[in-house]
Amino acid sequence: MNRIWAGLLLCDPLSQSCPIRGGIMPKSRDSRQVVQVFEEIGQCRSEGREGQTIVSDLDGTLLRGRSSFPYFMLIAFEVGGYLRSVLLLLTAPIIWILYNFVSEAAGIKLMIFVSFAGLKASKIQLASRAVLPRFYADDVHPETWRVLSSFGKRYILSANPRIMIEVFAKEYLGADEVIGTEIEVSKGGRATGFVKHPGVLVGDQKAKALKRTFGDQVPDVGTGDRESDYEFISMCKEGYIVPEGKTDAVPKESLPRPMIFHDGRFARRPTPLVALVILAYMPFGFALAVIRMACGILLPISWAITVMRLLGVTIKVKGTPPSRACSKDGKLGVLFVCSHRTLLDPVMLSFALGRRVTAVTYSISRLCEAISPIRTVPLSRNREKDADMIKKLLAVGDLAVCPEGTTCREPFLLRFSALFAELTDDIVPVAMSNKMTMFHGTTATGWKGMDPFYFFMDIKPTYEVNFLEQLPRQLTCAGGKSSHEVANYIQRLLAGTLGFECTLFTRKDKYKVLAGNDGSVAPKKSLFDKVAGC
């Protein structure tokens, strides 16, 4: 049987027993050190555990990565901004020295202070809900998850701040309780950068926290990955260690809750090296984004496509883009029904068509509206008013609409609004997809005005525009179908083309998960009203 020497445990020689399975009691009062053997996590059985309790560490145990630096970097960048994330990166060598040569607690305290000091606790909590779960979910250890998922009661015990890990642990791992380091918050609701008594949960503080939680009860299984975990593992009936080594992460589909919505600008886990590359690149990337955007705004479309290709922007076109005169009943306008990946979907559609197409929108910022290379018309979410406006727009030209009402980064399509199907039978479905290597060009919790900048800051942003066949008459409302049937059919058609999954989730569901609200915005005066003759 494969075993690991777990190290030196402090046991009281006057105690009646040592709670760890296989524990060896010292032979004299002067000897307080006991060598204990823990089995590897692969030796832990998962059958018949439904009525038992497990206590598990997080970093290096439930997660493959042993360092929590990437998650603090995410908080520092998303909540604190660019300068704070640079400060955290500059402090990383000091944190590493403190953690490895002074004490784990000292390194974690400094990381908490640099990342959290002065930030609103509510925003830290929001980022922990919207941003961190996606990165945690990408790194779940397969053996530890096999064991943890078999237990009826699951407790997570971590040195990380509880505010960072609680949402992921409870909603995506099914934890019953999360025990973590508590941060200090001022009366004004801002994190001070310090931690509450008894401090960072490392070593004996983990054991004391476990004792406070369970009292005289003894958990059935404890799992950890480092020497500072041995003491709390020793309080459980069975103890297991997760060895270091490369292994594939658990597929996100295997977790109790699917990862459909997430937020944040980073497309990659910001390890120290990745964070160094991204933060060093960002000033140059911003200048590159401005140049790329200026080309799309100022140049004719045929020139803009060529120049942007030279600047690293790839636009792939599949299918046959319809001509201006493809309307069946003599009307000028064709309705392009697009899947929604970023706010640039209608812009990329225009580039693929070789002509500028008007787009109806809901919640783009005033900055994006001002610099848009195509005409954008805001929706009011008043059904009758929006229907009348869309009809008038179709009477004068082509129109692009994204019936999902908001973007989704994962391979899912949200529920389609059926309004568009009631207004025209000249419908062309368009499957939109994009690929990002460094940044995400969408946000639910940040400032949407930066969305196009982050998209074009990416080193090699790629868009694919796939034109499908125009919907035949028998599949439209003119052919006897209801508007909901048409909308659902197009959703399934686009999902099948993209290899995505259809859902019934809506814009409100997304914003409830990520931002804690329904995603409503204050109505703005329509630019349509300012156009003469409309």
Side-chain angles (χ1 to χ4, degrees), residues 68 72 84 88 91 94-96 98-99 102-117 159-161 164 181-184 191-202 205:
S68 58
F72 282 95
R84 184 181 291 264
L88 178 60
T91 314
I94 302 174
I95 294 171
W96 184 85
L98 288 175
Y99 188 90
V102 179
S103 74
E104 291 184 23
I108 295 173
K109 281 182 179 179
L110 179 57
M111 192 153 52
I112 291 175
F113 182 83
V114 175
S115 303
F116 286 10
N160 287 324
M164 285 177 60
T181 300
E182 298 291 342
I183 64 169
E184 265 190 7
T192 64
F194 300 105
V195 298
K196 290 183 179 179
H197 180 79
V200 178
L201 299 190
V202 172
Q205 293 298 340

Side-chain angles (χ1 to χ4, degrees), residues 382-457:
N382 179 300
R383 190 176 181 85
E384 293 182 0
K385 184 177 179 181
D386 289 340
D388 183 62
M389 178 187 65
I390 291 174
K391 286 179 180 178
K392 290 179 179 179
L393 289 170
L394 284 170
V396 296
D398 295 337
L399 184 66
V401 62
C402 299
E404 292 171 273
T406 189
T407 59
C408 182
R409 296 175 179 177
E410 294 296 314
F412 297 93
L413 290 186
L414 308 187
R415 191 179 73 189
F416 277 29
S417 168
L419 176 62
F420 72 90
E422 301 173 3
L423 307 177
T424 182
D425 301 319
D426 296 316
I427 299 172
V428 176
V430 185
M432 311 290 293
S433 60
N434 69 315
K435 182 178 180 181
M436 309 298 291
T437 56
M438 294 181 70
F439 305 107
H440 287 297
T442 61
T443 183
T445 58
W447 182 40
K448 294 181 182 293
M450 287 299 295
D451 285 359
F453 292 92
Y454 274 104
F455 177 86
F456 285 110
M457 279 170 59

Side-chain angles (χ1 to χ4, degrees), residues 219-354:
D220 296 284
V221 171
T223 62
D225 69 292
R226 63 197 79 193
E227 187 176 341
S228 59
D229 294 332
Y230 298 160
E231 192 164 352
F232 95 80
I233 296 176
S234 73
M235 299 174 63
C236 304
K237 296 176 183 177
E238 302 175 39
Y240 297 91
I241 291 294
V242 178
E244 291 189 64
K246 292 185 178 180
T247 183
D248 293 332
V250 173
K252 288 186 289 188
E253 298 77 18
S254 301
L255 299 180
R257 175 176 173 173
M259 181 64 64
I260 297 178
F261 303 120
H262 58 84
D263 206 25
R265 294 299 190 180
F266 286 166
R268 291 176 177 265
R269 184 186 312 277
T271 61
L273 180 58
V274 171
L276 174 61
V277 172
I278 291 178
L279 295 178
Y281 166 77
M282 282 188 71
F284 304 98
F286 183 80
L288 178 60
V290 172
I291 295 172
R292 286 169 168 173
M293 292 168 62
C295 291
I297 296 170
L298 302 176
L299 297 178
I301 285 185
S302 57
W303 293 11
I305 293 174
T306 302
V307 175
M308 284 201 292
R309 186 181 298 114
L310 295 175
L311 293 174
V313 180
T314 301
I315 303 175
K316 300 178 181 179
V317 180
K318 293 185 177 181
T320 304
S323 63
R324 293 176 181 270
C326 67
S327 178
K328 300 171 185 175
D329 55 5
K331 293 181 181 179
L332 293 176
V334 171
L335 184 65
F336 294 97
V337 179
C338 307
S339 56
H340 203 8
R341 307 310 287 173
T342 76
L343 86 167
L344 293 171
D345 291 332
V347 177
M348 296 302 172
L349 172 69
S350 296
F351 286 157
L353 287 168

